[in-house]
Amino acid sequence: MEAHWEESGSPHEKALRINLDARWYGTFAEIGAGQEVARWFFRVGGASGTVAKTISAYDMAVSDALYGPAERYVSRQRLQAMLNYEFDLVVQRLDPIRGADRNFFAFADTVATRSYSRPEDGHGWMGIRFQHAPRQPPSDLLIHVRLLDKEPVRQQEALGILGVNLLYGAFYLREQPDRLIHSLLDHLTWERIEVDLIHFSGPAFRHVDNRLMALQLVEQDLTEAAMFTAAGEPVQWAEVLYKRPVLVQRGSFRPYTNAALDVLERAYDQFVREPELAGQTPVVLLEMTLRHLTTGDAVDHRDFLQRAEMLRALGKPVLISNFRRFHRLAWYLSRYTNRPIGLALGASKLFEIFDESFYNNAEGGLLGGLGQLFKNPGRLYVYPSLDARLGRVVRVEDFPVPPRLRLLYAFLCENRYLVGLTPTDEAFVSIRRAEILAKIQRGDPDWEAYVPPPVAAVIKRDRLFGYRPPVTESEGATEPERRVSP
């Protein structure tokens, strides 16, 4: 019978398969957009084999009485409270009579859709807690979704389909999390939904690395950017950035060098002194784009995990994005914070920023792009770069801007949209990642002088980037590389 069911089937087919599978039995709790997920299971027939209860606690007092008070009703905390309560309740009531041959689950979502009083895009949290086998400890699968349709009824429809896809994926695709993620868009498109967080936990997902799942969301076009903490836990943008200033450093970080650290630290020193921050501590993000992670035509997942493991030593959240242009990054950040945004970069990146061919005419060309880049306000903290094309060090004050843009460039400098940085050590400007990487791979111990000590310790401990111990380290030269598994 298994061969008759396709992972890309319609919501009707998926819901019917779940209803006809006697293993699954549980509760649906939905707040904010109708009972759009549960509706599918009643519509297709056979719901009595799957649905123990449905509930929609719309009234805040009723919701608080069931799940406890919450500062925000559309939040991860509310979703987890719903899952905790409903799963414990279904097990408590039904385990004595059905627990021997049923996998109990609780599905929940808490959503704010577009309405007359709320014209902005809808968004919400959705998740499932389930037993992968009878009377086994539960596992969780959580997502955050943005609903992009303009009509509320279309947002509700998309939410219902997404919920069916999520349940189906948890039940039947949990051993292949990359396919599970891909299946979330079945009978949907990226123009209708954006999934910018997914979190796997529990015994059913013990093989899953959530950092790689964040990368998968971007790689499979479910979102343009996803974030995880230094500890590897996925976080949603608003959880980290809401009403906070933010400083971002973009790079390939293979490896993270003393020069890269100096760029970030000098930029941070300038950023925190900006009067608009009013003493508020900024969030610092390290950003890698798909372009930085692509080898040939594919993303090297093992290499990505090695970089993520190295960056853990710096204790900063990591952002994975598909933003080629800096102004797209700034625009995305400004959706989640109205506080200042700073970007730390080398002067060589100014060639991209002031290249008029780099901008879309539909967005207003160069001026439209710069408007997005500097709106919050945004600032570029520019570190000197040794430019091979020019054969000299380029700084913000002597950057060779095209003649027709000189007045614009002068305006940006005079008003501190472009801020030059002074290196702690001028020797940092000549550091080249490729040369350091080559030293790491051939066992030249000199490389350690060019990277921060915590980073060097991780590279040596985990044998990252093809690390080869120096010959002087006795038999260590023949030790195999420690794997960071995808």
Side-chain angles (χ1 to χ4, degrees):
M1 183 173 178
E2 294 292 322
H4 296 293
W5 300 96
E6 296 294 336
E7 286 80 359
S8 60
S10 70
H12 184 284
E13 293 170 323
K14 290 184 176 183
L16 183 59
R17 178 182 181 182
I18 293 171
N19 277 353
L20 297 180
D21 189 337
R23 293 174 296 173
W24 306 108
Y25 200 66
T27 292
F28 291 79
E30 302 183 68
I31 299 176
Q35 293 188 294
E36 297 301 321
V37 180
R39 187 195 307 272
W40 275 104
F41 293 88
F42 290 115
R43 183 187 303 168
V44 301
S48 62
T50 300
V51 182
K53 181 185 76 173
T54 68
I55 186 171
S56 187
Y58 264 68
D59 187 275
M60 290 183 183
V62 174
S63 182
D64 286 350
L66 290 172
Y67 309 122
E71 290 185 11
R72 289 183 293 155
Y73 288 87
V74 181
S75 66
R76 188 202 299 244
Q77 291 72 28
R78 175 54 93 198
L79 175 67
Q80 290 177 325
M82 294 168 71
L83 292 174
N84 292 342
Y85 178 86
E86 299 296 350
F87 182 82
D88 289 348
L89 191 61
V90 74
V91 171
Q92 174 189 331
R93 290 178 173 173
L94 298 178
D95 183 74
I97 57 176
R98 296 177 182 261
D101 57 3
R102 294 295 181 100
N103 304 334
F104 293 121
F105 70 87
F107 172 89
D109 61 53
T110 174
V111 181
T113 57
R114 181 185 290 268
S115 67
Y116 294 110
S117 60
R118 188 183 181 280
E120 61 265 31
D121 289 339
H123 81 103
W125 290 86
M126 176 182 289
I128 178 171
R129 176 167 295 174
F130 68 101
Q131 297 170 327
H132 68 283
R135 290 177 173 157
Q136 293 300 304
S139 301
D140 287 359
L141 177 56
L142 313 180
I143 63 174
H144 179 267
V145 58
R146 293 182 63 242
L147 303 166
L148 307 179
D149 287 307
K150 301 306 180 185
E151 301 83 17
V153 67
R154 292 272 292 168
Q155 292 189 358
Q156 292 172 339
E157 177 191 59
L159 185 74
I161 296 171
L162 179 63
V164 172
N165 289 342
L166 184 70
L167 282 156
Y168 189 93
F171 294 163
Y172 303 113
L173 300 175
R174 60 181 179 273
E175 296 296 328
Q176 301 170 287
D178 55 335
R179 292 182 68 187
L180 187 159
I181 288 173
H182 182 77
S183 75
L184 294 177
L185 280 181
D186 286 351
H187 289 261
L188 293 167
T189 67
W190 59 266
E191 290 119 332
R192 298 193 66 187
I193 68 164
E194 176 187 1
V195 179
D196 58 11
L197 175 144
I198 191 164
H199 188 200
F200 298 79
S201 63
F205 302 118
R206 60 170 56 92
H207 61 293
V208 174
D209 190 316
N210 280 300
R211 298 172 299 183
L212 186 57
M213 297 303 100
L215 173 62
Q216 285 287 319
L217 289 178
V218 180
E219 192 176 355
Q220 297 196 41
D221 293 325
L222 276 80
T223 185
E224 290 188 277
M227 191 186 311
F228 55 86
T229 67
E233 287 297 302
V235 286
Q236 200 272 330
W237 290 71
E239 293 180 299
V240 177
L241 303 181
Y242 183 65
K243 293 185 178 180
R244 298 278 304 277
V246 56
L247 177 66
V248 184
Q249 182 180 31
R250 169 179 288 188
S252 60
F253 308 132
R254 195 174 190 264
Y256 195 89
T257 66
N258 287 331
L261 182 60
D262 198 47
V263 174
L264 184 62
E265 290 180 341
R266 301 290 72 76
Y268 185 89
D269 290 344
Q270 290 281 349
F271 193 45
V272 295
R273 290 202 294 265
E274 302 295 351
E276 295 90 348
L277 266 67
Q280 191 176 12
T281 301
V283 177
V284 177
L285 303 177
L286 302 176
E287 183 205 14
M288 291 186 285
T289 70
L290 287 188
R291 183 176 52 164
H292 290 131
L293 296 167
T294 300
T295 303
D297 295 328
V299 174
D300 187 332
H301 293 164
R302 181 164 173 253
D303 176 65
F304 161 73
L305 288 176
Q306 290 195 356
R307 297 192 220 188
E309 196 64 27
M310 175 194 65
L311 294 177
R312 181 197 292 260
L314 300 174
K316 311 293 185 190
V318 175
L319 178 62
I320 309 301
S321 84
N322 202 18
F323 301 129
R324 185 181 179 193
R325 299 169 176 86
F326 283 95
H327 71 278
R328 288 287 300 160
L329 169 62
W331 174 84
Y332 208 89
L333 291 168
S334 69
R335 285 174 20 186
Y336 299 97
T337 181
N338 58 3
R339 304 292 292 130
I341 295 170
L343 302 178
L345 67 159
S348 61
K349 295 298 182 184
L350 294 177
F351 287 103
E352 293 181 14
I353 292 171
F354 288 95
D355 182 349
E356 294 180 86
S357 67
F358 216 62
Y359 295 87
N360 189 330
N361 288 334
E363 295 179 326
L366 173 66
L367 291 180
L370 293 181
Q372 292 182 23
L373 183 59
F374 297 121
K375 63 174 288 191
N376 260 43
R379 285 190 175 84
L380 303 184
Y381 295 97
V382 185
Y383 197 85
S385 293
L386 182 59
D387 191 275
R389 290 170 293 182
L390 300 177
R392 64 175 178 85
V393 173
V394 177
R395 305 174 191 273
V396 69
E397 56 268 22
D398 62 5
F399 176 73
V401 65
R404 64 184 175 280
L405 300 179
R406 284 175 184 165
L407 292 178
L408 172 61
Y409 188 84
F411 170 84
L412 295 173
C413 290
E414 290 172 11
N415 289 276
R416 290 185 56 78
Y417 292 105
L418 300 176
V419 179
L421 301 176
T422 301
T424 302
D425 184 339
E426 289 293 335
F428 287 158
V429 177
S430 62
I431 291 179
R432 288 290 175 267
R433 287 189 312 274
E435 295 174 3
I436 298 168
L437 182 62
K439 291 176 184 287
I440 291 172
Q441 294 174 343
R442 68 171 178 260
D444 183 344
D446 183 52
W447 69 268
E448 290 190 56
Y450 296 94
V451 303
V455 169
V458 173
I459 291 173
K460 292 164 66 178
R461 183 195 71 196
D462 293 350
R463 303 292 195 260
L464 303 182
F465 311 131
Y467 166 78
R468 177 177 296 179
V471 177
T472 56
E473 292 187 13
S474 63
E475 294 82 19
T478 62
E479 292 182 15
E481 179 178 327
R482 173 175 168 180
R483 294 186 177 274
V484 181
S485 300

